[in-house]
Amino acid sequence: MTTTPTRTVPPYRSALHPARAGFGRLLRAEWTKFWTVRAWLLVLAIGAVVTVVVCQLGASGSSVSGGPPIVLGPGGEVVNDSFRFTHRALTGDGTVTARVTGLKDASGKGLGPWAKAGIIVKSSLKPGSPYAAVMATPGHGVRMQWNFTHDKAGPSSDPAEAPQWLRLQRLGGKLTGYASVDGRKWTRLGAVRLDGLPRTVQVGLFLAAPVNEVVHRSFGGTSEVAGSGQATGTFDHLTLRGSSTDSGWSATDVGAPDPDAPLGNSLPGASTVSPTGTYTLTGQGDIAPDENSPDMVQMSFQGVFVGLIFMVALGTLFVTTEYKRGLIRTTFTATPSRTKVLAAKATVIGLITFSTGLLSTAIGFTVAQKTLRSNGFKPPEFPDLSLLENPASRAVVGSAVLLSLVAVLALSLGVVLRSSAGTIATVVVLVILPQILSFALPLPVAQWLLRATPAAAFAIQQGLTYYPQVQHNCLPESGCYPLTPYHGLAVLAAYAAAAFLLAVWTLRRRDA
């Protein structure tokens, strides 16, 4: 019997370098695969259009009018600048020294942690003018602050318990702050330079007491507890070394609103001096950035919240469709390295959603800003925001990154779950549901959700700067997030990376 020899066909070997050209070939294949499926292109286009439209609709539903006069600081930011001031003119260089002997609530409602009693060198009595101050606070010890947005910590000392000596020295445009517990040994707090400081400035004692509002939210509703907005500070050993044209100390309520105006609810301050040289100041107000204005940047990105759903669907369908039709076996047969296939898919879907998101958010932000301007959000309270400058550029690019990371997250979970409906539902629960629940849950729980879930990434759209030297309630419904913009985006990136690694592990252990 004659046997026919069996011919062995050698397996196909690609001539491309497996590490370089091989991955490039995969990228081209996945890119081509995406652009040849019309349904995916339609989802991408609808998502981009919906993002722009909802940005516009959200802006058209917001308006502002009236309000108290706006005070701008040296940097053009909106500030609060109202306090009780016992002052004298200082011409040229000089030093002002005083001891804070007490700081207490003047109304019996509780003293806020950022009530301030100290000494100040101010360019003029005009609200918003440059200044440097050294102060004692009940909740944050001794501080040196200047030009509203700058703050530096000093010794931790409560003026209600122990006297604190304070000193400010002026040499030209340079202001140096000092603190002491005994008036002999001084600790240098810092030195700052105030640009444009005139030769004659106002120096002396000041007292400010912002209203201490604390918001509590539980399942039964929201309550607000307002502490005192008025405090009394006592000082002694007030001395001024330098040339002054004033014969004595004067008292002024800087920035006090007109009590006859419709919004005027300011209580007049008081200043007294005893025969022994003890000065008592009673007043209210604050010297700090104003954080109560609406966030015009965040208000321009409401469409991202809706457009995100389309990117979730796109990232999911990009892989689950192949599982549903069995085409994933063909892909893995042609390219046995499943990790490379997944990396190519993630790269392609990430680049496509980022590019589309960047275009749609840039257009959405531009049209929303135009609408907000027409609805009363105008300078100087709401300055013009350039698309190419922070915080607008950070929010636009960050929102595009957010959309792409969510698409990669959906792609990776699609590999794990192999179900379109299950994957979309899971990603929506992870990213969107925490944002919605944060509006109703108790604040500690809501803030935990916005720290620990991918919803933290929406912090990248914040346009307002929240300064640590300002007491504020970080409410999700006001657009405030407990994490900084980049830290919030990093949380989503960590989830996407973890999901990708889980998908790699699943591919290696499970049949296609």
Side-chain angles (χ1 to χ4, degrees), residues 440-511:
L441 292 175
L443 283 179
V445 179
Q447 293 182 349
W448 179 85
L449 282 176
L450 296 180
R451 284 190 180 98
T453 67
F458 286 102
I460 198 67
Q461 298 171 352
Q462 284 186 156
L464 292 180
T465 300
Y466 293 96
Y467 295 90
Q469 70 269 27
V470 179
Q471 181 79 10
H472 69 276
N473 296 292
C474 188
L475 303 177
E477 56 267 33
S478 300
C480 179
Y481 289 82
L483 296 180
T484 64
Y486 292 113
H487 287 161
L489 192 63
V491 173
L492 174 59
Y495 271 88
F500 182 83
L501 293 176
L502 179 61
V504 171
W505 181 82
T506 302
L507 282 177
R508 290 179 175 180
R509 296 180 60 87
R510 187 190 297 173
D511 292 335

Side-chain angles (χ1 to χ4, degrees), residues 384-474:
D384 290 321
L385 299 172
S386 171
L387 187 61
L388 301 179
E389 296 180 2
N390 280 332
S393 60
R394 183 204 67 215
V396 169
V397 176
S399 295
V401 174
L402 186 158
L403 293 173
S404 65
L405 287 174
V406 167
V408 172
L409 174 64
L411 173 81
S412 301
L413 291 180
V415 172
V416 177
L417 301 177
R418 298 187 179 184
S419 166
S420 299
T423 300
I424 294 174
T426 300
V427 178
V428 167
V429 167
L430 286 174
V431 182
I432 297 179
L433 186 60
Q435 179 83 349
I436 298 174
L437 292 177
S438 67
F439 295 166
L441 292 175
L443 283 179
V445 179
Q447 293 182 349
W448 179 85
L449 282 176
L450 296 180
R451 284 190 180 98
T453 67
F458 286 102
I460 198 67
Q461 298 171 352
Q462 284 186 156
L464 292 180
T465 300
Y466 293 96
Y467 295 90
Q469 70 269 27
V470 179
Q471 181 79 10
H472 69 276
N473 296 292
C474 188

